[in-house]
PDB file of all heavy atoms in Angstrom:
ATOM      1  N   ILE A  38     147.084 112.113 147.120  1.00 69.00           N
ATOM      2  CA  ILE A  38     146.810 111.543 148.446  1.00 69.00           C
ATOM      3  C   ILE A  38     148.039 110.807 148.978  1.00 69.00           C
ATOM      4  O   ILE A  38     148.332 110.845 150.182  1.00 69.00           O
ATOM      5  CB  ILE A  38     145.586 110.618 148.374  1.00 69.00           C
ATOM      6  CG1 ILE A  38     144.331 111.446 148.078  1.00 69.00           C
ATOM      7  CG2 ILE A  38     145.405 109.842 149.668  1.00 69.00           C
ATOM      8  CD1 ILE A  38     143.088 110.619 147.846  1.00 69.00           C
ATOM      9  N   SER A  39     148.751 110.124 148.064  1.00 71.00           N
ATOM     10  CA  SER A  39     149.952 109.386 148.497  1.00 71.00           C
ATOM     11  C   SER A  39     150.961 110.313 149.151  1.00 71.00           C
ATOM     12  O   SER A  39     151.649 109.954 150.115  1.00 71.00           O
ATOM     13  CB  SER A  39     150.573 108.665 147.302  1.00 71.00           C
ATOM     14  OG  SER A  39     149.704 107.676 146.815  1.00 71.00           O
ATOM     15  N   GLU A  40     151.097 111.519 148.610  1.00 74.00           N
ATOM     16  CA  GLU A  40     152.046 112.479 149.179  1.00 74.00           C
ATOM     17  C   GLU A  40     151.599 113.024 150.529  1.00 74.00           C
ATOM     18  O   GLU A  40     152.414 113.512 151.311  1.00 74.00           O
ATOM     19  CB  GLU A  40     152.243 113.637 148.202  1.00 74.00           C
ATOM     20  CG  GLU A  40     152.887 113.214 146.879  1.00 74.00           C
ATOM     21  CD  GLU A  40     152.980 114.369 145.897  1.00 74.00           C
ATOM     22  OE1 GLU A  40     152.496 115.479 146.263  1.00 74.00           O
ATOM     23  OE2 GLU A  40     153.515 114.180 144.795  1.00 74.00           O
ATOM     24  N   MET A  41     150.313 112.907 150.797  1.00 76.00           N
ATOM     25  CA  MET A  41     149.772 113.439 152.048  1.00 76.00           C
ATOM     26  C   MET A  41     149.761 112.402 153.168  1.00 76.00           C
ATOM     27  O   MET A  41     149.639 112.757 154.344  1.00 76.00           O
ATOM     28  CB  MET A  41     148.350 113.969 151.828  1.00 76.00           C
ATOM     29  CG  MET A  41     148.277 115.129 150.842  1.00 76.00           C
ATOM     30  SD  MET A  41     146.574 115.544 150.428  1.00 76.00           S
ATOM     31  CE  MET A  41     145.953 116.008 152.041  1.00 76.00           C
ATOM     32  N   LEU A  42     149.873 111.117 152.833  1.00 79.00           N
ATOM     33  CA  LEU A  42     149.788 110.073 153.851  1.00 79.00           C
ATOM     34  C   LEU A  42     151.040 110.079 154.731  1.00 79.00           C
ATOM     35  O   LEU A  42     152.173 110.278 154.257  1.00 79.00           O
ATOM     36  CB  LEU A  42     149.618 108.705 153.188  1.00 79.00           C
ATOM     37  CG  LEU A  42     148.291 108.491 152.423  1.00 79.00           C
ATOM     38  CD1 LEU A  42     148.292 107.119 151.751  1.00 79.00           C
ATOM     39  CD2 LEU A  42     147.098 108.620 153.357  1.00 79.00           C
ATOM     40  N   VAL A  43     150.876 109.805 156.031  1.00 83.00           N
ATOM     41  CA  VAL A  43     151.973 109.815 156.998  1.00 83.00           C
ATOM     42  C   VAL A  43     152.992 108.747 156.664  1.00 83.00           C
ATOM     43  O   VAL A  43     154.212 108.945 156.806  1.00 83.00           O
ATOM     44  CB  VAL A  43     151.414 109.610 158.427  1.00 83.00           C
ATOM     45  CG1 VAL A  43     152.550 109.543 159.455  1.00 83.00           C
ATOM     46  CG2 VAL A  43     150.457 110.726 158.782  1.00 83.00           C
ATOM     47  N   LYS A  44     152.512 107.578 156.189  1.00 84.00           N
ATOM     48  CA  LYS A  44     153.421 106.473 155.892  1.00 84.00           C
ATOM     49  C   LYS A  44     154.406 106.826 154.778  1.00 84.00           C
ATOM     50  O   LYS A  44     155.504 106.252 154.692  1.00 84.00           O
ATOM     51  CB  LYS A  44     152.629 105.225 155.519  1.00 84.00           C
ATOM     52  CG  LYS A  44     151.918 105.339 154.176  1.00 84.00           C
ATOM     53  CD  LYS A  44     151.275 104.033 153.777  1.00 84.00           C
ATOM     54  CE  LYS A  44     150.683 104.138 152.364  1.00 84.00           C
ATOM     55  NZ  LYS A  44     150.150 102.846 151.914  1.00 84.00           N
ATOM     56  N   ASN A  45     153.965 107.768 153.882  1.00 84.00           N
ATOM     57  CA  ASN A  45     154.842 108.182 152.786  1.00 84.00           C
ATOM     58  C   ASN A  45     155.744 109.364 153.179  1.00 84.00           C
ATOM     59  O   ASN A  45     156.665 109.715 152.449  1.00 84.00           O
ATOM     60  CB  ASN A  45     154.030 108.535 151.554  1.00 84.00           C
ATOM     61  CG  ASN A  45     153.328 107.320 150.961  1.00 84.00           C
ATOM     62  OD1 ASN A  45     153.871 106.217 151.035  1.00 84.00           O
ATOM     63  ND2 ASN A  45     152.150 107.518 150.399  1.00 84.00           N
ATOM     64  N   ILE A  46     155.430 110.010 154.310  1.00 87.00           N
ATOM     65  CA  ILE A  46     156.263 111.107 154.807  1.00 87.00           C
ATOM     66  C   ILE A  46     157.415 110.553 155.646  1.00 87.00           C
ATOM     67  O   ILE A  46     158.585 110.911 155.467  1.00 87.00           O
ATOM     68  CB  ILE A  46     155.425 112.113 155.615  1.00 87.00           C
ATOM     69  CG1 ILE A  46     154.353 112.754 154.712  1.00 87.00           C
ATOM     70  CG2 ILE A  46     156.314 113.172 156.251  1.00 87.00           C
ATOM     71  CD1 ILE A  46     153.392 113.663 155.462  1.00 87.00           C
ATOM     72  N   TYR A  47     157.082 109.630 156.563  1.00 88.00           N
ATOM     73  CA  TYR A  47     158.082 109.032 157.448  1.00 88.00           C
ATOM     74  C   TYR A  47     158.371 107.615 156.962  1.00 88.00           C
ATOM     75  O   TYR A  47     157.828 106.632 157.480  1.00 88.00           O
ATOM     76  CB  TYR A  47     157.581 109.029 158.895  1.00 88.00           C
ATOM     77  CG  TYR A  47     157.276 110.418 159.421  1.00 88.00           C
ATOM     78  CD1 TYR A  47     155.971 110.873 159.540  1.00 88.00           C
ATOM     79  CD2 TYR A  47     158.316 111.268 159.797  1.00 88.00           C
ATOM     80  CE1 TYR A  47     155.703 112.153 160.016  1.00 88.00           C
ATOM     81  CE2 TYR A  47     158.052 112.543 160.276  1.00 88.00           C
ATOM     82  CZ  TYR A  47     156.737 112.982 160.372  1.00 88.00           C
ATOM     83  OH  TYR A  47     156.475 114.253 160.834  1.00 88.00           O
ATOM     84  N   THR A  48     159.150 107.537 155.950  1.00 90.00           N
ATOM     85  CA  THR A  48     159.532 106.245 155.394  1.00 90.00           C
ATOM     86  C   THR A  48     160.795 105.729 156.062  1.00 90.00           C
ATOM     87  O   THR A  48     161.513 106.467 156.783  1.00 90.00           O
ATOM     88  CB  THR A  48     159.767 106.365 153.873  1.00 90.00           C
ATOM     89  OG1 THR A  48     160.862 107.255 153.642  1.00 90.00           O
ATOM     90  CG2 THR A  48     158.519 106.894 153.181  1.00 90.00           C
ATOM     91  N   ALA A  49     161.050 104.429 155.815  1.00 91.00           N
ATOM     92  CA  ALA A  49     162.278 103.830 156.391  1.00 91.00           C
ATOM     93  C   ALA A  49     163.515 104.510 155.848  1.00 91.00           C
ATOM     94  O   ALA A  49     164.515 104.714 156.582  1.00 91.00           O
ATOM     95  CB  ALA A  49     162.288 102.327 156.084  1.00 91.00           C
ATOM     96  N   ASP A  50     163.491 104.882 154.617  1.00 91.00           N
ATOM     97  CA  ASP A  50     164.661 105.519 154.002  1.00 91.00           C
ATOM     98  C   ASP A  50     164.923 106.900 154.601  1.00 91.00           C
ATOM     99  O   ASP A  50     166.074 107.327 154.727  1.00 91.00           O
ATOM    100  CB  ASP A  50     164.430 105.615 152.498  1.00 91.00           C
ATOM    101  CG  ASP A  50     165.641 106.210 151.785  1.00 91.00           C
ATOM    102  OD1 ASP A  50     166.726 105.596 151.833  1.00 91.00           O
ATOM    103  OD2 ASP A  50     165.483 107.301 151.176  1.00 91.00           O
ATOM    104  N   SER A  51     163.811 107.625 154.967  1.00 90.00           N
ATOM    105  CA  SER A  51     163.971 108.999 155.469  1.00 90.00           C
ATOM    106  C   SER A  51     164.551 109.052 156.880  1.00 90.00           C
ATOM    107  O   SER A  51     165.139 110.058 157.287  1.00 90.00           O
ATOM    108  CB  SER A  51     162.625 109.735 155.433  1.00 90.00           C
ATOM    109  OG  SER A  51     161.710 109.141 156.337  1.00 90.00           O
ATOM    110  N   ILE A  65     157.460 109.361 164.290  1.00 91.00           N
ATOM    111  CA  ILE A  65     156.673 108.207 163.845  1.00 91.00           C
ATOM    112  C   ILE A  65     155.710 107.771 164.935  1.00 91.00           C
ATOM    113  O   ILE A  65     154.521 107.504 164.677  1.00 91.00           O
ATOM    114  CB  ILE A  65     157.617 107.050 163.437  1.00 91.00           C
ATOM    115  CG1 ILE A  65     158.503 107.494 162.264  1.00 91.00           C
ATOM    116  CG2 ILE A  65     156.825 105.801 163.092  1.00 91.00           C
ATOM    117  CD1 ILE A  65     159.556 106.478 161.874  1.00 91.00           C
ATOM    118  N   ASN A  68     152.725 110.054 165.420  1.00 89.00           N
ATOM    119  CA  ASN A  68     151.698 109.944 164.375  1.00 89.00           C
ATOM    120  C   ASN A  68     151.051 108.554 164.336  1.00 89.00           C
ATOM    121  O   ASN A  68     150.450 108.159 163.336  1.00 89.00           O
ATOM    122  CB  ASN A  68     152.308 110.252 163.001  1.00 89.00           C
ATOM    123  CG  ASN A  68     152.540 111.728 162.801  1.00 89.00           C
ATOM    124  OD1 ASN A  68     151.629 112.494 162.477  1.00 89.00           O
ATOM    125  ND2 ASN A  68     153.793 112.145 163.024  1.00 89.00           N
ATOM    126  N   HIS A 114     147.892  96.936 158.464  1.00 86.00           N
ATOM    127  CA  HIS A 114     149.010  97.840 158.702  1.00 86.00           C
ATOM    128  C   HIS A 114     149.826  98.002 157.444  1.00 86.00           C
ATOM    129  O   HIS A 114     149.839  97.126 156.572  1.00 86.00           O
ATOM    130  CB  HIS A 114     149.902  97.320 159.837  1.00 86.00           C
ATOM    131  CG  HIS A 114     149.193  97.207 161.137  1.00 86.00           C
ATOM    132  ND1 HIS A 114     148.472  96.071 161.505  1.00 86.00           N
ATOM    133  CD2 HIS A 114     149.079  98.087 162.187  1.00 86.00           C
ATOM    134  CE1 HIS A 114     147.951  96.248 162.700  1.00 86.00           C
ATOM    135  NE2 HIS A 114     148.300  97.472 163.143  1.00 86.00           N
ATOM    136  N   SER A 115     150.485  99.145 157.380  1.00 88.00           N
ATOM    137  CA  SER A 115     151.372  99.428 156.256  1.00 88.00           C
ATOM    138  C   SER A 115     152.821  99.335 156.746  1.00 88.00           C
ATOM    139  O   SER A 115     153.188  99.977 157.741  1.00 88.00           O
ATOM    140  CB  SER A 115     151.095 100.827 155.712  1.00 88.00           C
ATOM    141  OG  SER A 115     152.037 101.167 154.722  1.00 88.00           O
ATOM    142  N   TYR A 116     153.621  98.523 156.047  1.00 90.00           N
ATOM    143  CA  TYR A 116     155.005  98.296 156.461  1.00 90.00           C
ATOM    144  C   TYR A 116     155.952  98.850 155.402  1.00 90.00           C
ATOM    145  O   TYR A 116     155.751  98.657 154.202  1.00 90.00           O
ATOM    146  CB  TYR A 116     155.273  96.803 156.628  1.00 90.00           C
ATOM    147  CG  TYR A 116     154.435  96.146 157.702  1.00 90.00           C
ATOM    148  CD1 TYR A 116     153.251  95.487 157.375  1.00 90.00           C
ATOM    149  CD2 TYR A 116     154.855  96.176 159.032  1.00 90.00           C
ATOM    150  CE1 TYR A 116     152.489  94.873 158.347  1.00 90.00           C
ATOM    151  CE2 TYR A 116     154.085  95.553 160.018  1.00 90.00           C
ATOM    152  CZ  TYR A 116     152.899  94.915 159.666  1.00 90.00           C
ATOM    153  OH  TYR A 116     152.160  94.312 160.639  1.00 90.00           O
ATOM    154  N   ASP A 117     156.995  99.530 155.909  1.00 92.00           N
ATOM    155  CA  ASP A 117     158.081  99.965 155.035  1.00 92.00           C
ATOM    156  C   ASP A 117     159.369  99.365 155.626  1.00 92.00           C
ATOM    157  O   ASP A 117     159.818  99.755 156.709  1.00 92.00           O
ATOM    158  CB  ASP A 117     158.157 101.477 154.982  1.00 92.00           C
ATOM    159  CG  ASP A 117     159.164 101.960 153.945  1.00 92.00           C
ATOM    160  OD1 ASP A 117     159.577 101.123 153.101  1.00 92.00           O
ATOM    161  OD2 ASP A 117     159.520 103.149 153.961  1.00 92.00           O
ATOM    162  N   VAL A 130     159.293 100.180 159.624  1.00 94.00           N
ATOM    163  CA  VAL A 130     158.442 101.314 160.011  1.00 94.00           C
ATOM    164  C   VAL A 130     156.992 100.897 159.780  1.00 94.00           C
ATOM    165  O   VAL A 130     156.616 100.523 158.666  1.00 94.00           O
ATOM    166  CB  VAL A 130     158.771 102.579 159.197  1.00 94.00           C
ATOM    167  CG1 VAL A 130     157.818 103.714 159.599  1.00 94.00           C
ATOM    168  CG2 VAL A 130     160.212 102.986 159.408  1.00 94.00           C
ATOM    169  N   THR A 131     156.163 100.965 160.823  1.00 93.00           N
ATOM    170  CA  THR A 131     154.773 100.467 160.769  1.00 93.00           C
ATOM    171  C   THR A 131     153.800 101.614 161.031  1.00 93.00           C
ATOM    172  O   THR A 131     154.002 102.394 161.983  1.00 93.00           O
ATOM    173  CB  THR A 131     154.554  99.354 161.806  1.00 93.00           C
ATOM    174  OG1 THR A 131     155.563  98.350 161.627  1.00 93.00           O
ATOM    175  CG2 THR A 131     153.166  98.740 161.657  1.00 93.00           C
ATOM    176  N   PHE A 132     152.756 101.671 160.195  1.00 90.00           N
ATOM    177  CA  PHE A 132     151.627 102.614 160.406  1.00 90.00           C
ATOM    178  C   PHE A 132     150.317 101.867 160.188  1.00 90.00           C
ATOM    179  O   PHE A 132     150.257 100.928 159.372  1.00 90.00           O
ATOM    180  CB  PHE A 132     151.687 103.789 159.422  1.00 90.00           C
ATOM    181  CG  PHE A 132     152.684 104.854 159.783  1.00 90.00           C
ATOM    182  CD1 PHE A 132     153.919 104.902 159.158  1.00 90.00           C
ATOM    183  CD2 PHE A 132     152.364 105.803 160.754  1.00 90.00           C
ATOM    184  CE1 PHE A 132     154.836 105.879 159.487  1.00 90.00           C
ATOM    185  CE2 PHE A 132     153.297 106.781 161.082  1.00 90.00           C
ATOM    186  CZ  PHE A 132     154.533 106.824 160.447  1.00 90.00           C
ATOM    187  N   PRO A 133     149.272 102.255 160.924  1.00 88.00           N
ATOM    188  CA  PRO A 133     147.952 101.639 160.654  1.00 88.00           C
ATOM    189  C   PRO A 133     147.482 102.007 159.239  1.00 88.00           C
ATOM    190  O   PRO A 133     147.588 103.164 158.817  1.00 88.00           O
ATOM    191  CB  PRO A 133     147.051 102.263 161.720  1.00 88.00           C
ATOM    192  CG  PRO A 133     147.974 102.784 162.767  1.00 88.00           C
ATOM    193  CD  PRO A 133     149.233 103.192 162.046  1.00 88.00           C
ATOM    194  N   ALA A 134     146.956 101.003 158.518  1.00 76.00           N
ATOM    195  CA  ALA A 134     146.480 101.234 157.128  1.00 76.00           C
ATOM    196  C   ALA A 134     145.008 101.645 157.163  1.00 76.00           C
ATOM    197  O   ALA A 134     144.103 100.855 156.913  1.00 76.00           O
ATOM    198  CB  ALA A 134     146.664  99.982 156.282  1.00 76.00           C
ATOM    199  N   SER A 135     144.747 102.910 157.509  1.00 62.00           N
ATOM    200  CA  SER A 135     143.366 103.394 157.603  1.00 62.00           C
ATOM    201  C   SER A 135     142.759 103.691 156.233  1.00 62.00           C
ATOM    202  O   SER A 135     141.560 103.574 156.028  1.00 62.00           O
ATOM    203  CB  SER A 135     143.313 104.654 158.479  1.00 62.00           C
ATOM    204  OG  SER A 135     144.174 105.653 157.942  1.00 62.00           O
ATOM    205  N   ILE A 136     143.584 104.098 155.275  1.00 58.00           N
ATOM    206  CA  ILE A 136     143.102 104.430 153.928  1.00 58.00           C
ATOM    207  C   ILE A 136     144.036 103.806 152.908  1.00 58.00           C
ATOM    208  O   ILE A 136     145.262 103.885 153.047  1.00 58.00           O
ATOM    209  CB  ILE A 136     143.053 105.956 153.705  1.00 58.00           C
ATOM    210  CG1 ILE A 136     142.056 106.600 154.665  1.00 58.00           C
ATOM    211  CG2 ILE A 136     142.659 106.262 152.257  1.00 58.00           C
ATOM    212  CD1 ILE A 136     142.012 108.109 154.556  1.00 58.00           C
ATOM    213  N   ARG A 137     143.451 103.173 151.896  1.00 55.00           N
ATOM    214  CA  ARG A 137     144.267 102.635 150.819  1.00 55.00           C
ATOM    215  C   ARG A 137     143.632 103.070 149.497  1.00 55.00           C
ATOM    216  O   ARG A 137     142.442 102.802 149.246  1.00 55.00           O
ATOM    217  CB  ARG A 137     144.330 101.115 150.881  1.00 55.00           C
ATOM    218  CG  ARG A 137     145.158 100.486 149.730  1.00 55.00           C
ATOM    219  CD  ARG A 137     145.163  98.986 149.829  1.00 55.00           C
ATOM    220  NE  ARG A 137     145.858  98.551 151.024  1.00 55.00           N
ATOM    221  CZ  ARG A 137     147.163  98.345 151.102  1.00 55.00           C
ATOM    222  NH1 ARG A 137     147.919  98.561 150.030  1.00 55.00           N
ATOM    223  NH2 ARG A 137     147.728  97.954 152.213  1.00 55.00           N
ATOM    224  N   LEU A 138     144.348 103.741 148.660  1.00 52.00           N
ATOM    225  CA  LEU A 138     143.857 104.189 147.355  1.00 52.00           C
ATOM    226  C   LEU A 138     144.947 103.933 146.332  1.00 52.00           C
ATOM    227  O   LEU A 138     145.970 104.630 146.298  1.00 52.00           O
ATOM    228  CB  LEU A 138     143.501 105.688 147.377  1.00 52.00           C
ATOM    229  CG  LEU A 138     142.927 106.256 146.080  1.00 52.00           C
ATOM    230  CD1 LEU A 138     141.614 105.568 145.735  1.00 52.00           C
ATOM    231  CD2 LEU A 138     142.721 107.763 146.208  1.00 52.00           C
ATOM    232  N   ASP A 139     144.733 102.908 145.507  1.00 53.00           N
ATOM    233  CA  ASP A 139     145.715 102.546 144.492  1.00 53.00           C
ATOM    234  C   ASP A 139     145.028 102.516 143.132  1.00 53.00           C
ATOM    235  O   ASP A 139     144.313 101.563 142.802  1.00 53.00           O
ATOM    236  CB  ASP A 139     146.331 101.166 144.784  1.00 53.00           C
ATOM    237  CG  ASP A 139     147.148 101.173 146.061  1.00 53.00           C
ATOM    238  OD1 ASP A 139     147.845 102.171 146.274  1.00 53.00           O
ATOM    239  OD2 ASP A 139     147.064 100.193 146.820  1.00 53.00           O
TER     240      ASP A 139
END
Side-chain angles (χ1 to χ4, degrees):
I38 293 174
S39 295
E40 296 176 358
M41 298 171 61
L42 294 177
V43 177
K44 69 174 185 175
N45 293 327
I46 298 174
Y47 301 104
T48 63
D50 183 63
S51 65
I65 298 174
N68 284 280
H114 299 87
S115 174
Y116 298 96
D117 187 14
V130 178
T131 307
F132 282 100
S135 57
I136 297 177
R137 178 181 294 273
L138 182 62
D139 294 320

